[in-house]
Amino acid sequence: MRFFFYGTLLDRDVTALVLGRRLPPQAYTAARLPGHARRRVQGATYPIVIADPSGEVSGAIVGGLSARDVAHLAAYEGPGYRIVPLRVKVLGKMTVVSVFEPIQSRLKPSRETWDLAVWQSRHKKSFVDRLKRALSVHPAYSRQ
């Protein structure tokens, strides 16, 4: 299965924690999600994508994901997201991949754009610490 990652999962350390394994570099292909903008979630440090006809969100298509990987990704994303097929642009062509789309009744965008490098420098350490604690007690991860 292939997914478009646009937020914290672009950080390979976060992805390795969530999946329980590190993906090879060739699993990632740069891509763009047209018709959307990336905003920080109100009261959080991570992003969501929202419809924006003039926007385009950079990210990566990540391939080679197993059913177990997808289950871990879904557990990580939680009930505020659903998996939907969306068209993304990769290598100048459009393709359909899966995306974790926010359920906006649960997650509200702020007006602040979200940037991976800024997040990594300001929030990654505390985010990863919280993620490690959460994964240590999550049933999907305790069976590994």
Side-chain angles (χ1 to χ4, degrees):
M1 211 167 180
R2 299 181 320 152
F3 276 81
F4 177 75
F5 291 173
Y6 58 85
T8 57
L9 288 169
L10 290 172
D11 184 283
R12 302 209 183 170
D13 296 332
V14 171
T15 304
L17 280 170
V18 171
L19 298 181
R21 66 185 177 99
R22 192 165 289 277
L23 295 174
Q26 61 269 26
Y28 296 81
T29 303
R32 301 185 76 68
L33 176 63
H36 291 80
R38 180 174 34 219
R39 298 285 184 264
R40 184 185 54 75
V41 171
Q42 287 181 13
T45 65
Y46 54 87
I48 58 173
V49 290
I50 58 171
D52 178 350
S54 63
E56 191 171 70
V57 174
S58 62
I61 294 174
V62 177
L65 298 171
S66 68
R68 178 182 166 275
D69 293 336
V70 174
H72 283 197
L73 291 168
Y76 169 73
E77 294 292 0
Y81 294 84
R82 62 181 163 244
I83 298 172
V84 299
L86 287 179
R87 293 172 46 87
V88 299
K89 190 185 308 181
V90 59
L91 303 172
K93 296 181 181 177
M94 297 301 288
T95 188
V96 175
V97 296
S98 296
V99 177
F100 282 97
E101 179 182 71
I103 299 169
Q104 292 207 7
S105 63
R106 295 183 184 210
L107 298 170
K108 303 288 186 203
S110 71
R111 292 186 179 181
E112 183 183 332
T113 59
W114 187 89
D115 179 86
L116 178 63
V118 171
W119 177 85
Q120 286 170 321
S121 68
R122 292 184 185 163
H123 305 288
K124 178 181 174 177
K125 184 181 180 334
S126 61
F127 184 91
V128 166
D129 289 345
R130 286 190 311 274
L131 178 58
K132 286 178 180 175
R133 285 193 303 276
L135 294 180
S136 73
V137 298
H138 195 284
Y141 293 88
S142 61
R143 293 188 296 266
Q144 288 186 26

